[in-house]
Amino acid sequence: MNNQQYKWIKPFRNISIGDVPLVGGKNASLGEMFRELHSEGILVPDGFAVTAAAYRHFFEETGLDKKIREILHDLNTHDMENLRQRGEAARNAILKEEIPDDIKKEIVQAYHELSGPVTHGIDVAVRSSATAEDLPDASFAGQQETYLNVRGERALLEACRRCFASIFTDRAISYRHDKGFEHFKVALSIGIQRMVRSDLASSGVMFSIDTETGFRDAVLINAAYGLGENVVQGAVNPDEYIVFKPTLQQGFKPILQKKVGSKEFKMVYDEGGGKMVKNIPVSPEDRASYALNDDDILTLAKWACVIEKHYSQKKGSFCPMDMEWAKDGRTGELFIVQARPETVQSRRDSSRLEVYRLEESGKVLVTGRSVGEKIAVGPVRVVKSAANLSLVQKGDILVTDRTDPDWEPAMKRAAAIVTNRGGRTCHAAIVSRELGLPAIVGTLNGTEILKDGEVVTVSCAGGDTGKVYSGALKFSKEIHDFSGGQRPRTKIMLNVANPEEAFRLSQLPNDGVGLARMEFIINSYIRIHPLALYHFHELTDPTLKETIEKMTPGYSNKAMFFVDHLAYGVGMIAAAFYPNDVIVRMSDFKTNEYANLIGGAAYEPVEENPMIGFRGASRYYHERYRDGFALECQAMKKVRDEMGLRNVKLMVPFCRTVEEGKRVIAEMAKHGLKQGEHGLEIYVMCEIPSNVILAEQFAAIFDGFSIGSNDLTQLVLGVDRDSEIVAPIFDERNPAVTGMIASVIRTARAKGRKIGICGQAPSDYPEFAELLVKEGIDSISLNPDVVLKTTTHILDVEKNLTTR
């Protein structure tokens, strides 16, 4: 395509990011990637732009400037009816006019050159691209229209005219007005691009940053079958994948999370049906399967890293990206079809952390994917169609099936948004983040369960799962400022259980994770006893087998369900705090807790006192659990060797004897977890008096200790910590306990072994913290809610000890 012969057209290969004033942000970005990133293996479908100069020429030739200025002279964007009338009149004025012949001629000529030997023309996507688009403080994405599967001259010219008219959609008018853009200083370019046959495969959206927390080292990918508009619009609940950038770039395969979405239907070509595209149902088998395989997930994540690096270099600072991708079902090739700067998390002040916390519990009405990490209370306003948007009052909880850009004026009045459909990259999620609102998307049945006028609490403060509670629950909000914070000599680490909170918690000042608990992951995300999965084909209870089948779709080898999901959970935590140490404790359920897992009762003995029974190290090499421990080891090997998260250290709980420790270390080695290999360190929990008394011998086989002050206090004082009657005797400050702790710290230091503590006592008792620091403990691991307070206290303790 020869650019010299065109006045109103510019081919992608002649466009760069500096051409935003001429072709808008969307087209400038497509041209930039088409030209600059092909050598990096990134594929962008070819195309051309109808320039903003053509748009201005169209308006000048037809007198549209004057007509639309008159239409908008008394515009009131806060009056929904006024906005609707003015927008409709402006669009109709444009649609009544013919595009000038000189522009038409060039569009048709460029289209046929793009089509090559295809006589009647190829199918193309026709997308609008505003010249003020995707500025650092505003994203015009979704404000104008897109037309897919456009074929032939006549259809193409009509789509172009409708694109020009879409610069005056109600939402675009409202958005420009609220952002302070003068309507006639923003022009429209049109991108005309080869269609990728993702109607035969899959497509979606990805971000090179975590959209909720701003965690920089993750790529978030949403995927569904068919054309990508359903994901962008939030019309389906897509799959979600998270990939860790640092070890991906080292050659590992760090897929941290894979969540299957319901993907109810897909958008495909409407062959001969009179429309350009249509939605059709997805089969139950495909809905239960992932829309992308692992190789495609990793390829897209690598591309996201390349694109982010390219734009960051252009900008001269970190520039996370929001991208749309598509897979061609005929060739199997992946393509990037859009890329723009991310405009919410990239502008957030990373030295400040806003923390919302529910202060009471209540009845959960619906759940979905959380957006925004905030909490809001208000009356429900169920809106079934755009015609009823005027009913939304300031402070309402807007509940609907899904939103689209036409809903934005009403969304600004809401306190929170709840939708039946959509994922974390859909329209409702993106706009809610930009407006600073909590949102819960993909609830499936929110509009059925939530009743108009009832007061509810919308909480997105508990991780990936957002919850709508009945009634107005009390909540708190804290703002933490980390700027200029001094760090103590003693390492301050965190106790982390919930992988969904890991990215957010990693933003607290910390030196890693001193205790990552497997039990929460098994209980919350797996829920099935590992041996019931390992011996699935030997199960005789048909009801149990059916339950497990429903919970493990896509897994013929049920044991791998346990391995994968445990690895995903631990991987999320390890990635969040990378490259700092993350000490993962192997499972420490008691027998009664294991028995409560699905299928667990058949594999667990009934014990009078599970607290000191068949738990911890004793299980790992015993024939009654050895196969289950093998699955735990496989999961940890996957985290370290496949994901590349070698900051993971492993810890053995409740190890009664040195001989038992040796047997566990040998059992781990059998499953590929060899102490010392690739830097693997194995620690032991110091929670039994024998661990202290024989500390020198334990130090000879383990790389470090972590003091479990609760169990140690229980066993030193002979107190059941769960008994209300003797509870007053339980005190970590008892001299017998503090003497034990001081002793083991000294021994560990003498033997050159690391030693830390994971427990509440350093937070609760200043004198306890002082003892630990005075004895020279390496690290103190704390619950996240007390880390800031205790860090300040530890700094004071260290200062006082230095000045004595």
Side-chain angles (χ1 to χ4, degrees), residues 105-376:
K105 181 181 177 182
E106 290 196 7
I107 292 173
V108 169
Q109 184 178 342
Y111 172 61
H112 284 298
E113 287 191 40
L114 183 65
S115 299
V118 181
T119 306
H120 299 293
I122 59 172
D123 47 305
V124 293
V126 181
R127 307 178 190 274
S128 58
S129 182
T131 56
E133 199 173 51
D134 302 322
L135 298 178
D137 61 345
S139 174
F140 281 70
Q143 299 302 321
Q144 287 84 38
E145 298 294 351
T146 293
Y147 299 94
L148 304 176
N149 186 26
V150 177
R151 193 177 309 161
E153 297 175 9
R154 188 172 176 181
L156 175 59
L157 292 171
E158 179 59 22
C160 288
R161 187 165 60 159
R162 292 188 175 278
C163 264
F164 281 143
S166 73
I167 197 168
F168 288 104
T169 58
D170 298 355
R171 73 248 188 184
I173 295 169
S174 174
Y175 193 89
R176 285 194 297 270
H177 182 272
D178 290 348
K179 288 290 183 181
F181 290 95
E182 209 281 316
H183 293 294
F184 293 92
K185 288 187 178 177
V186 177
L188 193 84
S189 170
I190 299 171
I192 295 164
Q193 185 179 32
R194 281 179 173 272
M195 282 289 293
V196 176
R197 290 302 303 267
S198 58
D199 60 308
L200 305 175
S202 58
S203 57
V205 177
M206 67 176 172
F207 284 78
S208 65
I209 190 171
D210 182 62
T211 55
E212 303 314 309
T213 64
F215 181 70
R216 292 185 171 196
D217 286 336
V219 175
L220 168 70
I221 303 172
N222 275 169
Y225 300 115
L227 302 173
E229 292 301 295
N230 280 340
V231 177
V232 174
Q233 295 170 1
V236 296
N237 297 340
D239 295 344
E240 180 171 298
Y241 318 116
I242 297 177
V243 183
F244 186 53
K245 292 192 286 190
T247 57
L248 175 72
Q249 293 168 309
Q250 294 169 22
F252 293 98
K253 299 178 179 180
I255 299 174
L256 302 179
Q257 190 178 89
K258 291 171 65 177
K259 291 186 176 180
V260 67
S262 52
K263 305 183 294 290
E264 302 90 336
F265 47 85
K266 61 181 177 180
M267 185 178 287
V268 299
Y269 283 14
D270 186 15
E271 303 288 0
K275 296 180 180 179
M276 293 181 286
V277 293
K278 64 180 180 180
N279 274 310
I280 62 172
V282 174
S283 70
E285 296 77 18
D286 284 345
R287 289 179 61 180
S289 302
Y290 294 116
L292 281 179
N293 60 43
D294 286 1
D295 287 343
D296 286 342
I297 293 169
L298 294 168
T299 295
L300 286 173
K302 289 173 186 174
W303 286 7
C305 294
V306 171
I307 293 168
E308 178 186 85
K309 180 181 178 183
H310 179 80
Y311 281 90
S312 295
Q313 289 174 341
K314 285 280 183 179
K315 182 181 175 183
S317 61
F318 177 60
C319 183
M321 299 296 290
D322 166 2
M323 296 148 281
E324 294 180 28
W325 60 271
K327 182 174 183 176
D328 195 304
R330 297 172 304 182
T331 66
E333 293 177 303
L334 291 164
F335 292 87
I336 299 296
V337 295
Q338 283 194 49
R340 62 182 73 87
E342 191 275 345
T343 57
V344 177
Q345 293 295 347
S346 56
R347 292 184 282 122
R348 189 172 63 84
D349 183 355
S350 60
S351 67
R352 289 165 60 86
L353 181 64
E354 198 173 64
V355 178
Y356 284 74
R357 186 175 291 110
L358 272 180
E359 301 296 342
E360 55 183 332
S361 60
K363 179 183 177 183
V364 176
L365 301 176
V366 295
T367 63
R369 302 308 308 277
S370 66
V371 175
E373 298 189 312
K374 294 183 179 181
I375 299 173

Side-chain angles (χ1 to χ4, degrees), residues 7 32 34 70 210 280 301 360 374 486 689 701 737 786:
K7 181 177 181 181
E32 177 77 16
F34 187 84
E70 179 59 29
D210 182 62
I280 62 172
E360 55 183 332
K374 294 183 179 181
Q486 186 182 353
I701 63 168
V737 179
V786 296

